[in-house]
Amino acid sequence: MATGFKLTRKGITAHLEPGERTLLQGLFSDVITMLTPDTPAHTDPLAAMVGMDTSAEVPQDPALLRLLPDAVHGNDDDALEFRRLTERSLREGKIGSLQAASLALESNQMHLDPEQARHFAQALNDVRLVLGSRLDLRTDEDAEALHSITEPGDAEDVEQYLALVYNFVTWLQETLMKALLDTLPAR
């Protein structure tokens, strides 16, 4: 069984069982697949360098739209222009964090430095956004219903299994964020 993240002398540490690590690696891989652009990087070197993507469109998948939301509300043209200027680099940054987090899962006992912890937190957040979208999580009542499913034996269908996974990822992210807060200087 996993132990949550804690701040120790060795850094931010946690222990995950092999099945838990495999689960997280699979989730990270799935989100990487979602974020991988359908079109190759722009052939214009300057556009590629700054992350422009003239072919970027608003995602049709609600989960992908949660990961890559519109930055401008109320003006579809400006939102699309901003997306074309920033989306590729945002995708690449998210993919990089997911890959780094996946590498951190190579051993049962994890020791993260602050940068690794930041990548891991970003990866967990992106997984939670996707799972929350797939579970149609919109209100506090929806969240309470999800959090009431705590025992693997209670999962009778795919949605309830996803709720268990969502709860596990949420708990893991919460312990990581508490450990990161412990790294801040005392006031």
Side-chain angles (χ1 to χ4, degrees):
M1 182 174 197
T3 61
F5 285 97
K6 298 177 194 167
L7 180 60
T8 68
R9 285 181 276 140
K10 294 181 180 181
I12 295 174
T13 64
H15 174 82
L16 298 175
E17 295 295 326
E20 295 162 337
R21 289 181 304 136
T22 300
L23 171 69
L24 287 173
Q25 286 173 323
L27 292 168
F28 294 162
S29 177
D30 289 347
V31 177
I32 288 170
T33 300
M34 286 179 67
L35 287 167
T36 301
D38 294 332
T39 58
H42 202 283
T43 56
D44 176 358
L46 179 60
M49 185 173 72
V50 297
M52 283 180 44
D53 187 352
T54 57
S55 65
E57 296 291 332
V58 177
Q60 297 303 307
D61 179 352
L64 189 55
L65 186 58
R66 287 288 303 266
L67 291 171
L68 305 166
D70 283 333
V72 179
H73 297 285
N75 186 324
D76 292 343
D77 291 335
D78 286 350
L80 185 57
E81 183 64 22
F82 190 81
R83 179 177 297 281
R84 289 180 174 162
L85 292 173
T86 61
E87 185 175 289
R88 183 159 303 260
S89 60
L90 180 60
R91 284 177 184 257
E92 290 169 354
K94 287 179 174 289
I95 288 169
S97 288
L98 288 155
Q99 289 170 334
S102 190
L103 285 173
L105 291 166
E106 292 299 318
S107 65
N108 290 350
Q109 190 69 28
M110 295 180 8
H111 302 283
L112 306 177
D113 63 32
E115 184 177 356
Q116 291 170 318
R118 183 179 58 81
H119 287 301
F120 209 89
Q122 289 173 338
L124 290 173
N125 188 61
D126 285 345
V127 166
R128 287 185 68 237
L129 287 173
V130 170
L131 289 172
S133 177
R134 296 289 187 244
L135 290 164
D136 200 30
L137 179 60
R138 298 183 189 278
T139 66
D140 290 342
E141 291 79 22
D142 295 340
E144 286 179 33
L146 285 181
H147 291 305
S148 70
I149 301 170
T150 58
E151 296 298 321
D154 294 344
E156 297 176 0
D157 58 24
V158 172
E159 188 170 301
Q160 290 177 344
Y161 174 75
L162 286 178
L164 285 170
V165 173
Y166 179 85
N167 290 334
F168 172 69
V169 173
T170 299
W171 168 78
L172 198 58
Q173 184 183 30
E174 182 180 336
T175 65
L176 178 54
M177 298 313 295
K178 285 180 181 176
L180 281 167
L181 286 172
D182 289 343
T183 67
L184 297 176
R187 289 186 175 194

